[in-house]
């Protein structure tokens, strides 16, 4: 399907993301100091770039696992259930776990994921999101750490997609939809 015409404007430069990840890494190290092997749970697919950069800044022994859940698309509010498309490979019972998400928007995804992981009885369950759009929240949920709070705009890059594209941009950009040109 052709996408509506759009352009991408820089919003958060790669250098600012890197600097913020340094700060977040120090806070996560402090929280998990003494943990034997922290389990990093990345939510596919949007978190893959963030995880790659974050784990390399952590002076902790970590294990990396991934979870993929269905997005609810344009479903009505009552159908905003998420299903597991790809489950974790490892057990998290009794372990210290950090869930890594790209964006918290309405909050439904993170809320469901935390519910299903909590049922597996981890020792500690914490969350970090690179981006947060608090003005869009529909359910009460907060990540323990947030890289950047952003306004209600559609963003791409640094792992985050628009129709599966643009994940490879090294910065976060806002998508501007352009009126089609007159013939
Ligand atoms: P939530 O369940 O509404 O919080 O949605 C979270 C998911 O929606 C994120 O993990 C993203 O995959 C997707 N999402 C939310 N906002 C954006 C955006 O601005 N650009 C791309 N994907 C987004
Ligand atoms: Mg996501």
């Amino acid at each position: 399907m052709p996408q509506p015409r759009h352009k991408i404007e820089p919003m958060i430069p790669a250098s600012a993301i890197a600097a913020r990840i340094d700060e977040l890494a120090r806070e996560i190290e402090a929280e998990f100091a003494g943990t034997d092997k922290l389990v990093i749970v990345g939510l596919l697919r949007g978190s893959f770039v963030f995880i790659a950069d974050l784990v390399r800044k952590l002076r902790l022994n970590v294990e990396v696992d991934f979870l993929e859940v269905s997005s609810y698309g344009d479903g009505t509010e009552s159908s905003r259930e998420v299903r597991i498309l790809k489950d974790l490979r490892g057990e998290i019972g009794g372990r210290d776990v950090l869930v890594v998400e790209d964006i918290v928007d309405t909050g439904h995804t993170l809320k469901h994921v935390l519910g299903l992981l909590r049922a597996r009885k981890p020792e500690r369950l914490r969350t970090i999101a690179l981006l947060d759009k608090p003005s869009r929240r529909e359910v009460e949920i907060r990540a323990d750490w947030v890289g950047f709070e952003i306004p209600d705009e559609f963003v791409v890059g640094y792992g985050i997609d628009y129709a599966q594209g643009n994940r490879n941009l090294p910065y976060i950009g806002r998508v501007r939809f352009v009126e089609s040109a007159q013939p």
Side-chain angles (χ1 to χ4, degrees), residues 56-85:
R56 285 179 293 171
K57 293 293 179 184
L58 289 178
R59 294 167 298 198
L60 292 171
N61 188 11
V62 304
E63 194 174 307
V64 178
D65 207 340
F66 292 99
L67 180 70
E68 184 171 11
V69 294
S70 60
S71 62
Y72 42 75
D74 295 328
T76 59
E77 226 154 286
S78 58
S79 68
R80 287 192 166 182
E81 287 291 319
V82 301
R83 282 179 305 110
I84 296 180
L85 299 178

Side-chain angles (χ1 to χ4, degrees), residues 13 17-18 24 26 32 45 54 78 97 99 113 123 139 147 149 155:
I17 299 172
L24 293 166
R26 299 295 83 80
F32 291 103
R45 282 167 264 181
L54 180 66
S78 58
V97 176
V99 175
V113 165
E123 174 71 21
V139 289
E149 281 194 3
V155 295

Side-chain angles (χ1 to χ4, degrees), residues 16-32 50 54 57-60 98 100-101 127-131 143-148 158:
I17 299 172
R20 183 70 183 120
I21 288 178
D22 279 339
E23 295 174 351
L24 293 166
R26 299 295 83 80
E27 292 179 25
I28 290 163
E29 282 170 2
E31 169 77 16
F32 291 103
F50 182 35
L54 180 66
K57 293 293 179 184
L58 289 178
R59 294 167 298 198
L60 292 171
L98 177 66
V100 183
E101 173 62 310
T127 53
I128 181 168
L130 178 67
L131 304 176
D144 297 295
W145 295 277
V146 167
F148 302 90
Y158 200 74

Side-chain angles (χ1 to χ4, degrees), residues 44-170:
L44 291 173
R45 282 167 264 181
S47 70
F48 79 105
V49 177
F50 182 35
I51 291 212
D53 282 346
L54 180 66
V55 295
R56 285 179 293 171
K57 293 293 179 184
L58 289 178
R59 294 167 298 198
L60 292 171
N61 188 11
V62 304
E63 194 174 307
V64 178
D65 207 340
F66 292 99
L67 180 70
E68 184 171 11
V69 294
S70 60
S71 62
Y72 42 75
D74 295 328
T76 59
E77 226 154 286
S78 58
S79 68
R80 287 192 166 182
E81 287 291 319
V82 301
R83 282 179 305 110
I84 296 180
L85 299 178
K86 184 218 163 288
D87 206 341
L88 298 176
R89 290 288 297 273
E91 304 291 333
I92 58 164
R95 309 280 306 272
D96 283 343
V97 176
L98 177 66
V99 175
V100 183
E101 173 62 310
D102 54 356
I103 307 187
V104 185
D105 187 36
T106 64
H108 289 279
T109 305
L110 190 58
K111 188 172 184 201
H112 278 89
V113 165
L114 290 179
L116 71 91
L117 295 182
R118 206 172 282 122
R120 300 179 188 186
K121 307 264 187 282
E123 174 71 21
R124 240 187 306 184
L125 184 60
R126 298 285 185 270
T127 53
I128 181 168
L130 178 67
L131 304 176
D132 186 6
K133 294 184 195 173
S135 65
R136 294 260 309 159
R137 204 70 92 251
E138 293 177 5
V139 289
E140 209 175 303
I141 191 99
R142 280 201 83 248
D144 297 295
W145 295 277
V146 167
F148 302 90
E149 281 194 3
I150 60 168
D152 178 11
E153 296 191 89
F154 197 81
V155 295
V156 289
Y158 200 74
I160 299 165
D161 73 300
Y162 170 44
Q164 297 307 326
N166 298 122
R167 291 191 197 271
N168 56 316
L169 292 177

